[in-house]
């Protein structure tokens, strides 16, 4: 069974959000379904998308768990974005949280060092 995941992120300003997510994710959108959405494929069948929905902007909370946590966070920093927060849980799992221009929370998690 194949399962596709589309995780939506409501934003106010399409251009500002698209530029920010390009910096965060290191690539332009994978596709543009219409004038108010942009979609990035994070892995096969796993997508995040922004959509202009001003009344809902700023309330998304997503975490993407990656095997290359340290390298990923370093690459994002090279593109000019720093996490709003970092955590290490009791089991050693790490998380770096970024906030887009609307305040949506996008976290990257990684296994213990």
């Amino acid at each position: 069974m194949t399962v596709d995941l589309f995780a939506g992120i409501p934003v106010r300003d399409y251009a500002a959000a698209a530029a920010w997510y390009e910096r965060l994710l290191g690539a332009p959108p994978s596709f543009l379904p219409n004038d108010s959405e942009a979609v990035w494929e994070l892995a096969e069948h796993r997508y995040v998308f922004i959509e202009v929905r001003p009344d809902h902007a700023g309330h998304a909370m997503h975490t993407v768990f990656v095997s290359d946590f340290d390298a990923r966070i370093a690459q994002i920093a090279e593109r000019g974005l720093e996490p709003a927060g970092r955590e290490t849980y009791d089991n050693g799992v790490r998380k770096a949280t970024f906030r887009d221009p609307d305040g949506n929370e996008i976290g990257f998690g990684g296994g213990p060092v």
Side-chain angles (χ1 to χ4, degrees), residues 22-104:
E22 282 190 33
R23 288 175 60 201
L24 180 72
L25 300 172
S30 301
F31 61 95
L32 304 168
N34 57 52
D35 291 344
S36 65
E37 293 180 74
V39 181
W40 286 263
E41 184 174 20
L42 303 180
E44 187 175 15
H45 305 291
R46 295 166 188 94
Y47 304 87
V48 294
F49 70 95
I50 61 169
E51 181 178 7
V52 176
R53 296 185 70 193
D55 293 342
H56 299 281
H59 298 286
M61 294 173 50
H62 300 302
T63 299
V64 179
F65 207 85
V66 295
S67 61
D68 62 345
F69 179 81
D70 293 316
R72 178 84 50 126
I73 301 308
Q75 291 165 352
I76 294 169
E78 289 171 5
R79 294 190 294 272
L81 298 177
E82 291 293 332
R86 292 177 180 256
E87 299 176 77
T88 301
Y89 299 100
D90 291 340
N91 63 0
V93 168
R94 298 163 295 152
K95 181 179 179 185
T97 302
F98 296 84
R99 294 198 192 285
D100 75 7
D102 290 305
N104 292 302

